[in-house]
């Protein structure tokens, strides 16, 4: 049971979700205990399996997902530039700023989901195996609400209900060292991110 205790010391189940610009979830995966790292959840998720088999179909024309620094860098998953040595360059800082600004959408989607379906905060089902089903069902209903009541966000969140775009406690820009090794499997992904950084600096 302790595996469900997360880094904030309360029990939880991980929901990994991808959101579009309208806060509609396009991919959801739930069920791992709260103590499991986001990178491991991603590695074992249906999303990773689908990308492994159909990356060119899912991400045509150099499209990609924006993820926070808890995730590894992939050609289809752009994460912030992590700080090494003296710190990021000005162009890297611009990239990180744009990255964080874009990520605010999904950072609002999660509290909106919790505010709509407050049952998610205190799940008391008799069968633990049903927890992921409840979570995914709430995500589906969330999408239905977003499609039909697109102007009700302020009703649920309000101005002070959530710090929109607040920094992720884990997103301090110093975790990992995916850029410390020059020759590594992530090299094509690093090249793509560098192209984004250069584009944003022009």
């Amino acid at each position: 049971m302790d595996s469900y205790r997360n880094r904030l010391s309360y029990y939880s189940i991980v929901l990994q979700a991808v959101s579009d610009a309208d806060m509609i979830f396009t991919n959801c995966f739930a069920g791992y205990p709260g103590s499991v790292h986001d990178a491991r959840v991603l590695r074992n998720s249906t999303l990773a399996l689908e990308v492994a088999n159909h990356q060119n179909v899912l991400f045509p024309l150099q499209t990609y997902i924006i993820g926070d620094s808890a995730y590894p860098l992939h050609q289809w998953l752009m994460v912030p530039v992590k700080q090494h040595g003296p710190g990021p360059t000005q162009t890297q800082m611009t990239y990180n700023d744009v990255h964080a600004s874009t990520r605010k959408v999904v950072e609002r989607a999660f509290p909106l989901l919790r505010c709509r379906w407050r049952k998610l905060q205190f799940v008391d089902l008799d069968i633990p195996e049903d927890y992921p089903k409840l979570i995914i069902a709430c995500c589906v209903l969330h999408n239905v609400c977003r499609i039909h009541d697109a102007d009700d966000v302020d009703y649920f969140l309000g101005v002070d209900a959530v710090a929109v775009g607040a920094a992720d406690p884990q997103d301090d820009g110093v975790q990992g060292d995916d850029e410390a090794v020059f020759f590594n499997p992530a090299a094509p992904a690093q090249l793509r991110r560098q192209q984004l950084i250069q584009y944003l600096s022009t």
Side-chain angles (χ1 to χ4, degrees):
M1 193 65 180
D2 282 345
S3 64
Y4 285 89
R5 189 186 297 274
N6 61 29
R7 61 188 173 83
L8 299 178
S9 296
Y10 63 84
Y11 294 101
S12 64
I13 292 175
V14 176
L15 167 63
Q16 174 187 281
V18 179
S19 162
D20 68 10
D22 296 315
M23 291 190 287
I24 294 174
F25 294 124
T26 59
N27 183 281
C28 297
F29 179 76
Y32 270 82
S35 65
V36 178
H37 193 276
D38 291 345
R40 180 183 170 195
V41 174
L42 173 64
R43 188 167 59 249
N44 293 283
S45 68
T46 53
L47 174 61
L49 178 62
E50 292 171 5
V51 171
N53 295 323
H54 308 289
Q55 179 173 337
N56 293 336
V57 175
L58 294 173
F59 299 98
L61 303 177
Q62 296 193 5
T63 54
Y64 38 80
I65 293 173
I66 298 294
D68 65 32
S69 62
Y71 294 103
L73 177 67
H74 292 286
Q75 284 185 285
W76 53 273
L77 175 59
M78 291 291 107
V79 299
V81 175
K82 297 173 183 178
Q83 298 179 14
H84 297 287
T89 64
Q90 183 60 49
T91 55
Q92 290 173 333
M93 291 174 61
T94 299
Y95 164 83
N96 280 356
D97 289 343
V98 174
H99 188 285
S101 177
T102 305
R103 208 171 65 237
K104 287 180 181 179
V105 175
V106 73
E107 289 176 352
R108 289 196 80 192
F110 281 109
L112 179 58
L113 174 71
R114 290 194 300 269
C115 289
R116 282 188 188 281
W117 316 111
R118 295 183 183 273
K119 182 70 173 177
L120 290 174
Q121 300 181 49
F122 304 100
V123 178
D124 57 357
L125 298 177
D126 293 332
I127 305 175
E129 289 76 14
D130 287 343
Y131 289 8
K133 298 177 184 177
L134 172 65
I135 295 169
I136 297 300
C138 288
C139 291
V140 172
L141 292 173
H142 163 91
N143 283 356
V144 172
C145 292
R146 288 297 300 144
I147 291 169
H148 295 287
D149 296 306
D151 296 328
D152 66 348
V153 176
D154 290 340
Y155 173 81
F156 285 102
L157 295 184
V159 177
D160 300 321
V162 59
V164 179
D168 185 331
Q170 290 185 325
D171 194 7
D172 58 10
V174 297
Q175 304 98 323
D177 61 352
D178 63 332
E179 294 167 299
V181 181
F182 185 79
F183 296 105
N184 62 61
Q190 291 176 2
L191 177 60
R192 173 171 289 188
R193 185 170 63 181
Q194 186 58 38
Q195 291 171 341
L196 284 173
I197 292 172
Q198 293 174 349
Y199 172 79
L200 292 171
S201 67
T202 57

